[in-house]
Amino acid sequence: KPKAIVIGAGIAGIASAIRLSIKGYDVDVFEAGSKAGGKLGEIKMNGFRFDAGPSLFTMPQYVDELFKLAGKNPEDYFKYTKLKEICRYFYEDGLRLNTTSDLDQFAKEIEEKTHSTAAEVYRYLKKSKTIYEVTHHVFLERSLHKLRSYLHWDTLKSIFRFGQIDAFRTQASANQSFFKDRRITQLFNRYATYNGSDPYQAPATLNVIPHFEYHFGAFIPKNGMYGIVEALLKLAEELGIRFNYNQKVEEILYNNESKPKINGVKVNNRSYKADVVVSNLDIWFTYKNLLTGIAEPKKLLTQERSSSALIFYWGMDGSYSNLGLHNIFFAEDYEKEFNAIWKDKTISSDPTIYINITSKHLRNDAPADSENWFVMINVPANSGQNWDQLIKEARANMIKKISRMLNRNIEKDIICEQVLDPRSIESKTGSYQGSLYGNSSNSQFSAFLRHANFSSKVKNLYFCGGSVHPGGGIPLALLSAKIIDDDISPVVY
Ligand code: FAD
């Protein structure tokens, strides 16, 4: 059997390994850490379970597809439910809004409680759908770097409709034109943060993101987000894929002929041969640490990084009936918050706070009469800030804000705590500067400034994961594995 090696067991690495195994390759995965999942990790503390990274699950069909490809019934491995209530929004002026999968209910609530109308919501979501229709074949599901991608009829049709993707104004200015009420503009501006970008700089094309949530839906896996990893690992192991943990790849090996071809990888000074190698690492580290002798794509590696996060995992004594699974406590001045992150590279004194509480749905995630709070704010990527000081100030500001908006002293309920910040995100998951989604999407051309899923220098070397095409987040990371799969021919015996 020809051999494939995958470097890194992040979600895209696991998906690539499964796809290569189904193609007929004998697959080994080398993972630097002691567990699979990468950013999609989990934390256990004092009887509480937390999903460490991603908390919002969209496009579950991309996970199901892997079981179907292997000839299995997805439900035998992986169960999830569609959320009726998606998110609770809290504003400083007392406004409370719930977004729901029932769009009529959601639009009606906006009409009843704000100066915006249901018609504005429908018009906005229609635009979001149009952007999805025009972009998904071209920007998401195929390589942008292969001529044959442009020879599909649906790609050509999309190219003729490019004027409709709203690339020439910022998301914030587009949203202002959709909604009379600035609080609804703020609600939809937040979607830029789903790929670590700034709505005041990023193109309005990012208004495609709400389509994923409102059209396809938001979901919760029955075993939490880490359940995605566990289900895929079960399938991978049944397929005979070998996972080698605590095995950090030191070098990607290739022969030095005029057209270099992949040879394998070096781990702990030992060489492992392979016909195909897929790197799931942040592309920055793949070039800087593993690919000696290969010229770096300088422009791409010096692009602005996406934002990072500061997360407090709090075991909370008591229950909070006014909170749901996903909760947002908005900053009073959103633009000021983004200026702090992107211009001043610091944390605003009034950051928007996201609280995810899986124990609202998954009772075993917290002991009785308590809740597992994942409390996150967006922060700049690490460029050497005084994080200890910033974290101390942010923690105090966050506790004050949540307590004020819930009218309850939350600090006394915190039983146990762990913290993740840009430095630990980089050291634990190998993400350069701790950014969550590779490069930022603040420029109109960002889609073209992500690395291709294959190497143009070394034959049979591929790249997957959130730092390369088509981008960050679980759905796009899974699509990167699919694009690689489309490029590799099945093994013929
Ligand atoms: P990664 O998770 O980046 O994993 C890479 C793996 O490579 C790691 O396991 C690492 O240990 C390993 N590795 C590194 N160096 C080596 C080496 N030399 N040798 C071997 N192995 C190595 N996405 C969503 O869809 N929804 C969300 O709600 C969401 N929220 C997020 C919140 C946070 C706090 C974070 C951190 C991320 C969030 N994301 C979210 C983004 C999402 O987690 C990522 O886009 C996705 O998980 C990236 O997967 P990946 O395949 O790129 O691999």
Side-chain angles (χ1 to χ4, degrees):
K1 259 191 179 185
K3 266 210 69 89
I5 287 177
V6 177
I7 311 171
I11 186 75
I14 302 172
S16 301
I18 290 173
R19 287 176 176 276
L20 284 165
S21 171
I22 294 170
K23 272 225 139 96
Y25 283 86
D26 180 37
V27 186
D28 264 286
V29 180
F30 288 96
E31 164 55 51
S34 58
K35 276 177 92 176
K39 296 186 186 71
L40 182 44
E42 112 180 309
I43 292 173
K44 288 184 175 157
M45 163 176 60
N46 297 30
F48 293 89
R49 191 201 72 86
F50 300 86
D51 285 310
S55 53
L56 178 69
F57 184 38
T58 55
M59 307 301 266
Q61 61 270 39
Y62 295 152
V63 179
D64 288 347
E65 187 184 352
L66 295 166
F67 298 104
K68 289 184 189 160
L69 267 179
K72 311 278 187 185
N73 176 8
E75 282 204 33
D76 293 342
Y77 293 78
F78 180 53
K79 292 194 173 66
Y80 49 84
T81 37
K82 187 169 178 178
L83 299 175
K84 288 198 177 83
E85 175 188 280
I86 301 176
C87 186
R88 297 188 186 186
Y89 289 90
F90 298 76
Y91 294 81
E92 285 279 4
D93 65 2
L95 175 66
R96 304 283 180 264
L97 285 175
N98 286 355
T99 56
T100 52
S101 60
D102 179 339
L103 292 184
D104 294 332
Q105 186 185 333
F106 167 42
K108 188 164 162 252
E109 174 156 342
I110 286 188
E111 179 147 319
E112 281 172 3
K113 291 187 173 171
T114 75
H115 307 303
S116 274
T117 61
E120 289 174 21
V121 178
Y122 291 125
R123 199 165 68 87
Y124 173 83
L125 292 178
K126 191 165 165 232
K127 179 69 184 176
S128 180
K129 179 169 185 264
T130 303
I131 301 175
Y132 175 78
E133 284 168 358
V134 180
T135 53
H136 75 111
H137 290 306
V138 192
F139 289 111
L140 304 182
E141 289 159 13
R142 297 207 179 105
S143 175
L144 275 180
H145 311 83
K146 296 256 175 184
L147 179 64
R148 66 165 185 268
S149 300
Y150 298 91
L151 303 178
H152 285 270
W153 175 233
D154 47 24
T155 308
L156 288 172
K157 268 197 306 196
S158 294
I159 289 169
F160 287 126
R161 293 175 69 194
F162 260 11
Q164 298 175 336
I165 70 171
D166 223 352
F168 298 104
R169 55 179 175 167
T170 65
Q171 189 185 32
S173 63
N175 290 352
Q176 209 175 355
S177 74
F178 276 104
F179 299 106
K180 276 200 286 290
D181 195 310
R182 68 166 189 85
R183 294 167 300 181
I184 308 307
T185 306
Q186 181 173 24
L187 190 152
F188 286 106
N189 281 352
R190 189 177 79 89
Y191 287 92
T193 66
Y194 278 34
N195 68 8
S197 302
D198 172 0
Y200 299 92
Q201 295 184 60
T205 313
L206 291 196
N207 277 332
V208 66
I209 299 172
H211 188 67
F212 286 73
E213 198 167 300
Y214 296 106
H215 176 78
F216 294 106
F219 300 81
I220 180 163
K222 282 254 153 75
N223 295 323
M225 295 298 281
Y226 197 68
I228 305 173
V229 175
E230 289 169 330
L232 290 177
L233 280 185
K234 182 163 183 269
L235 172 67
E237 277 155 15
E238 282 173 16
L239 290 169
I241 298 166
R242 288 174 299 274
F243 285 83
N244 306 280
Y245 295 109
N246 301 308
Q247 302 285 318
K248 187 171 181 174
V249 173
E250 289 146 1
E251 199 178 339
I252 294 175
L253 306 170
Y254 53 90
N255 65 26
N256 263 329
E257 287 162 18
S258 61
K259 279 204 130 204
K261 194 172 168 213
I262 204 78
N263 256 346
V265 301
K266 194 157 95 188
V267 186
N268 289 330
N269 250 337
R270 189 176 150 195
S271 299
Y272 293 84
K273 283 210 160 309
D275 304 282
V276 166
V277 169
V278 179
S279 173
N280 180 209
L281 260 66
D282 190 318
I283 192 72
W284 199 90
F285 282 115
T286 304
Y287 274 100
K288 295 286 178 190
N289 294 347
L290 303 188
L291 269 175
T292 37
I294 297 290
E296 291 170 11
K298 283 215 175 56
K299 191 160 174 226
L300 194 140
L301 298 190
T302 51
Q303 286 298 304
E304 179 183 55
R305 300 290 289 178
S306 68
S307 54
S308 185
L310 169 62
I311 303 142
F312 295 96
Y313 307 89
W314 287 334
M316 298 293 284
D317 189 16
S319 57
Y320 286 67
S321 58
N322 40 2
L323 296 181
L325 173 66
H326 301 290
N327 311 273
I328 290 289
F329 292 78
F330 266 130
E332 175 96 65
D333 185 340
Y334 216 25
E335 193 164 1
K336 190 170 157 210
E337 178 183 358
F338 284 100
N339 281 339
I341 297 174
W342 293 99
K343 297 212 167 79
D344 304 333
K345 313 268 184 245
T346 187
I347 302 178
S348 155
S349 56
D350 178 27
T352 296
I353 303 167
Y354 166 62
I355 306 182
N356 172 245
I357 311 173
T358 61
S359 62
K360 294 281 182 193
H361 285 250
L362 313 172
R363 246 339 299 167
N364 291 339
D365 281 359
D369 300 320
S370 43
E371 295 181 344
N372 63 341
W373 286 24
F374 164 112
V375 187
M376 173 181 144
I377 58 172
N378 295 308
V379 305
N382 181 20
S383 53
Q385 294 90 331
N386 181 351
W387 287 110
D388 291 338
Q389 182 61 27
L390 286 176
I391 292 169
K392 204 168 134 205
E393 287 164 12
R395 186 181 187 278
N397 287 333
M398 289 160 75
I399 288 175
K400 219 171 15 177
K401 183 178 174 84
I402 303 166
S403 298
R404 179 174 67 242
M405 291 174 85
L406 290 180
N407 200 16
R408 174 166 166 180
N409 172 7
I410 65 154
E411 190 164 22
K412 64 169 183 30
D413 290 339
I414 303 173
I415 311 170
C416 53
E417 171 178 285
Q418 275 192 40
V419 188
L420 195 68
D421 65 55
R423 297 165 304 183
S424 41
I425 292 174
E426 171 163 332
S427 63
K428 286 189 173 155
T429 75
S431 188
Y432 178 52
Q433 295 186 339
S435 76
L436 304 190
Y437 304 95
N439 289 344
S440 85
S441 296
N442 284 343
S443 112
Q444 273 140 285
F445 307 107
S446 52
F448 298 96
L449 291 169
R450 285 185 181 271
H451 201 286
N453 302 103
F454 61 92
S455 167
S456 53
K457 310 261 171 48
V458 180
K459 195 167 177 327
N460 290 349
L461 171 61
Y462 294 88
F463 309 107
C464 67
S467 70
V468 295
H469 178 69
I474 297 169
L476 301 197
L478 287 169
L479 283 177
S480 70
K482 185 171 161 54
I483 293 169
I484 291 174
D485 192 4
D486 290 343
D487 203 38
I488 298 178
S489 313
V491 176
V492 184
Y493 295 102

